[in-house]
Amino acid sequence: MEQEFDVVLTGSDGPVEGIAKRLAHSAYDEAYEFISVDETIHLLIAKEHGQWIRVAGTDPYFSGWADELAEQVK
């Protein structure tokens, strides 16, 4: 089951709007994928040992995006 929801991350030129979805089949306790509306930014975060980490995504990226996304999935 995938849950999709709107997410806004802070970008250098303004807000980055996109869709996040929970990945049901993951090796991690929890994992979420974010894709921006224009599909230029992709971010995959996962919860490992109680901490959210960036697993994959486009480069360059802001290090705070993983925390921002984790905050919005709570």
Side-chain angles (χ1 to χ4, degrees), residues 18-55:
I19 301 291
K21 62 182 166 184
R22 184 168 197 253
L23 303 178
H25 301 290
S26 168
Y28 298 95
D29 296 336
E30 288 182 70
Y32 289 87
E33 177 182 46
F34 169 84
I35 300 175
S36 64
V37 173
D38 64 3
E39 297 183 357
T40 60
I41 298 172
H42 175 252
L43 176 64
L44 180 64
I45 65 169
K47 198 171 209 178
E48 183 175 66
H49 306 294
Q51 300 292 322
W52 287 100
I53 59 169
R54 177 183 181 267
V55 177

Side-chain angles (χ1 to χ4, degrees), residues 7 9 20 32 34 43 45 64-73:
V7 171
L9 301 177
Y32 289 87
F34 169 84
L43 176 64
I45 65 169
W65 280 348
D67 292 333
E68 276 189 65
L69 181 54
E71 187 65 33
Q72 293 183 52
V73 301

